[in-house]
Amino acid sequence: MEFEKLQSLLAEILEVKPDQIRQEKSFVKDFGADSLILFQILMGVEAVFGVIIEEDEAMKWNTVGDLWEYLQTV
């Protein structure tokens, strides 16, 4: 999997430039994501990466890095 692909997806959803999407960034603290945006991220990741993600698993993602690490395991 390519991190750039995840960067593009998250940048589109979060309405920021792809280079602002870094692994240490928090979805809530750095990007102000609310539950709707987090749901959009979940749906987008499922669509783009072709995976099914349990909602309780997604709730563990605090940072871009958390999501990226999860994607490396599926």
Side-chain angles (χ1 to χ4, degrees):
M1 263 182 234
E2 304 168 21
F3 185 70
E4 293 79 18
K5 194 173 178 181
L6 180 60
Q7 279 181 304
S8 292
L9 171 67
L10 295 177
E12 183 178 327
I13 293 169
L14 297 168
E15 299 178 351
V16 298
K17 294 180 181 178
D19 64 353
Q20 291 179 279
I21 304 295
R22 294 189 301 275
Q23 292 195 32
E24 70 276 4
K25 294 287 190 170
S26 165
F27 291 115
V28 175
K29 291 178 185 172
D30 294 314
F31 298 115
D34 60 16
S35 59
L36 178 60
I37 291 173
L38 294 173
F39 182 74
Q40 290 176 321
I41 291 170
L42 173 64
M43 295 291 100
V45 168
E46 287 186 340
V48 169
F49 291 96
V51 296
I52 303 294
I53 302 165
E54 297 296 325
E55 192 173 329
D56 62 330
E57 184 63 41
M59 298 303 289
K60 298 176 188 175
W61 305 337
N62 294 312
T63 66
V64 173
D66 294 338
L67 169 53
W68 179 242
E69 285 178 27
Y70 172 79
L71 288 173
Q72 300 307 299
T73 67
V74 293

